Amino acid sequence: MQFSSALRSGIVILLCAILLPAGLLADHIVGGEFHYECLGFKNNDPSTGIMRYRITINMYRDCIGEGALFDGNDPRQTPDVRSADGHISIYLGNEYYNPTRSINLSRFDPVPINLGNPCLVVNEPICQEIGIYTFVEELPVSEQTYTFVYQRCCRNESIRNLLNPRQIGATYFIQLTPEAQQRCNTSPAFNIDPPIAICINEEFRIDLGATDADGDSLVYKFCDPKLGGGTDNGGRNGPATETPFDDIVPIRESPYPYASVPWVRPRYDVANQLGVGSTLNIDRVTGELSGVPSFPGTHVLGVCVEEWSRGPNPILLSETKREFQLNVSRCGNTVDADLLETEIDEQGRFFIRQCGPGPNTIFNESTLVSSITSYDWEMIGPGGELLTGTSRDFQTNINEIGVYEGIMMLNRESFADNCKDTAVFLLGVFPDLTADFSASEVVCEPKPIEFVNGSSTAGGQRITAYDWDFGDNTDPSARPDPTHQYRIPGDFRARLEITDENGCQDDVEQNVEYFPAPRTIILEPQDVFGCVPYTNLFINRSTPIDDNYIFEWQFGDGGSSSERDPTHLYGASGLYDVYLSITSPLGCSVDTTFRQLVDVRDSPTADFYFTPEQPSNIFPDVDIIDRSVNAASHRYFITDGGEALFTSPGPDFTYRLRDTSLLSVTQVVTHPSGCLDTLTKDIRMYLQNTFNAPNAFTPNGDGLNDSWQPKGIFAGATDYLLRIWNRWGEKIYETDDFEGTWDGTHDGTASPAGGYLWDVSFTNAEGEPESFKGGVVLIR
């Protein structure tokens, strides 16, 4: 069976995704670089021929999701999530100098997002960390090159500029040349972390410059990322592979030189690492990375910095390669020019109205403030004078009436067009206007208040609108000189706002005092009559009044009050005149006497009693006897829990209780005046128990008096106990059954004739203990 190359490639990718152990795949490592620093000869003794170097490895890790940790004892590891052993290989020429140099993570930090454009914000989740490994290595000075190398497989499958990224790994390395050894050279170190995100179709500029401790000359260029590692897992969890270099985590790293990554051609290559159609440049002198990306997604980039000695015959001392993963993301712009305007005209200009010449501030509402580095204001003032400013808000002082055009520019000198924005505005300076009014005074008579407009304009312009707010939550008025009737008293804050033909506005507020006396005193209608003792609530309906007024009440029985709505208790019958005086806070008074306003009548007194007071099951009939006073008629209601059982016209009657339920007996009595009184009492039937016992019996089988049993009424009784003893004190019978009988036997044998003693105890229906003792004669 034949497969196309594309199909074979897809099958390989699928098998790798299924078979590779996820814990070993290094797709979380997305970039890296080496740096070395010469520390001098061992023990500062050149005769040793051994040079000491501090080696630093910067490793970059994708921290989106739950990727693997950094190699070499990441402090975040747990028993369930372990970091892989960290190691590199050191070569001298093409031979191993140290095939498995262990490395441990020194520290890790988040990599900041540097979009290379101050006015953009990324809209997608981006996260990378830098892991730093540092160790000191002692190396004999040699005529050959040392190579420090780290290799892992595989790469992030989302990378779009490399072929089959899931199947290929990475190599990060640096070489220590003989010339660098002889000079005790230190390699250049990049100044900042690499960018991890830039914005699609947006210009960026990022400084990828490095610093060289020896002051050597640096040259920047693009270079190919390198391959490394393999997709086998032999030598770790399976049979050994053909070489120790093909594992996901190689047993030993392979020697220099290293193959370049396979680009997705023709769109991508070393000169077009963001794709043909994008622009990507690096300044050979400064290391500034710039361009405009056109294709979204994840890309791998390689940047190299060459270190050359200075002088007439420069020598290449080192090349530091930085490989990093860069996300081209969709972003949002953060700069928007905006002013606090009166309105926006048809041409989109901000129109700002200034009412009255003189100092003025145009307020800037542009966003995002953190992305704005400069403000530039330009406006043509009176006589063509150019007015400028560089503050966020623009201060003017124009004393000539007119309309003046200007512009406000954000980030005027920015390299990125998206960082720039402008706002064109018109400042209209118009004549001033002054709102004013007066109000008529109200003292005693509750008349409407007349408001008189006194507003004026400086330039003779016409006032086109009036807006009155009278301060009492009523509808406003648009009349120039309105009249307003306040419904309640008070100190009101009245407000007038005026608008002229230029759209300028002004407003003024004044206190308006309104505390007249009521024209008429009005009370809430009273009840037809009341019954002694009678409590009456007087509700004052006079208007306008509130609690600031003084009230004087005389109730006709010697009682008085100063409350607005008082309550008064009448203790005797009669017809009472009521007097009320009302005085306003301004001293205006009105009073009225209401003749025979309150009618208070005599009342009966309901009362009755029961006989017997505690009716029982033996005597269940109870007499209800009237003891009311001044009653002309009577009526009784007997209820059980609200349920009506019986009614009677009274005044006296007899009622038979049926059970022990608690009943309510209510008496309603009526006075000849029509006043009523009621009284309710509770009654119930009490259970009584009786007891008696025969003094002899004849158990001879003739059917007459053959057994002995106490008799009585035991309804409701409990805890019954009957015992019988013979003359020698021996208990011969016992029962707890109220119906229990003794047949004259003991243990199945007839007891002899003679006298016997008995005792009985029980708890009666009222819960009280009772006991009885006696004797009985057994006759045979």
Side-chain angles (χ1 to χ4, degrees), residues 455-691:
S455 304
S456 61
T457 60
Q461 68 270 29
R462 183 170 53 90
I463 298 176
T464 58
Y466 300 87
D467 185 6
W468 293 88
D469 182 351
F470 302 111
D472 59 349
N473 296 320
T474 57
D475 292 336
S477 174
R479 299 177 59 190
D481 301 297
T483 297
H484 183 66
Q485 177 66 65
Y486 287 97
R487 300 300 179 186
I488 57 175
D491 211 1
F492 299 98
R493 192 71 176 165
R495 178 178 179 272
L496 168 62
E497 181 183 82
I498 59 172
T499 304
D500 68 10
E501 58 185 292
N502 298 319
C504 287
Q505 294 181 327
D506 191 33
D507 63 78
V508 63
E509 293 185 0
Q510 293 184 25
N511 282 334
V512 177
E513 194 175 61
Y514 184 76
F515 290 102
R519 285 194 177 96
T520 304
I521 295 179
I522 302 173
L523 300 183
E524 182 88 5
Q526 303 295 300
D527 294 333
V528 176
F529 65 89
C531 302
V532 177
Y534 176 54
T535 299
N536 188 60
L537 172 62
F538 295 90
I539 299 178
N540 192 344
R541 297 297 188 188
S542 309
T543 59
I545 60 171
D546 63 13
D547 290 337
N548 294 306
Y549 284 62
I550 298 173
F551 305 95
E552 180 185 352
W553 292 83
Q554 301 293 334
F555 298 117
D557 63 348
S560 63
S561 176
S562 60
E563 297 180 5
R564 183 173 70 174
D565 301 307
T567 298
H568 182 66
L569 174 64
Y570 288 93
S573 60
L575 292 171
Y576 297 94
D577 297 339
V578 176
Y579 168 82
L580 172 59
S581 170
I582 301 176
T583 302
S584 76
L586 302 181
C588 298
S589 296
V590 61
D591 64 352
T592 297
T593 298
F594 297 90
R595 302 295 180 184
Q596 298 184 357
L597 179 65
V598 180
D599 181 4
V600 181
R601 302 180 183 181
D602 289 326
S603 298
T605 302
D607 193 17
F608 62 94
Y609 67 94
F610 304 120
T611 181
E613 292 184 359
Q614 293 187 346
S616 68
N617 53 325
I618 300 175
F619 300 104
D621 292 338
V622 59
D623 295 326
I624 300 173
I625 309 300
D626 173 49
R627 286 195 303 200
S628 62
V629 179
N630 297 328
S633 63
H634 305 73
R635 191 142 195 100
Y636 292 88
F637 300 91
I638 299 178
T639 58
D640 180 2
E643 180 183 356
L645 300 178
F646 181 77
T647 61
S648 172
D652 305 323
F653 67 99
T654 300
Y655 182 75
R656 172 163 289 182
L657 300 175
R658 308 298 180 186
D659 52 38
T660 58
S661 299
L662 183 67
L663 305 182
S664 295
V665 180
T666 300
Q667 181 191 59
V668 181
V669 294
T670 306
H671 189 272
S673 67
C675 290
L676 303 176
D677 192 24
T678 63
L679 177 65
T680 298
K681 295 183 179 181
D682 293 333
I683 189 172
R684 70 180 181 89
M685 181 175 71
Y686 292 83
L687 293 178
Q688 289 188 350
N689 302 122
T690 62
F691 180 86

Side-chain angles (χ1 to χ4, degrees), residues 65-92:
E66 300 181 356
L69 302 175
F70 283 112
D71 295 350
N73 295 320
D74 190 315
R76 295 169 292 185
Q77 63 182 335
T78 67
D80 296 327
V81 180
R82 307 292 297 180
S83 63
D85 293 337
H87 68 79
I88 66 170
S89 294
I90 304 175
Y91 283 89
L92 179 59

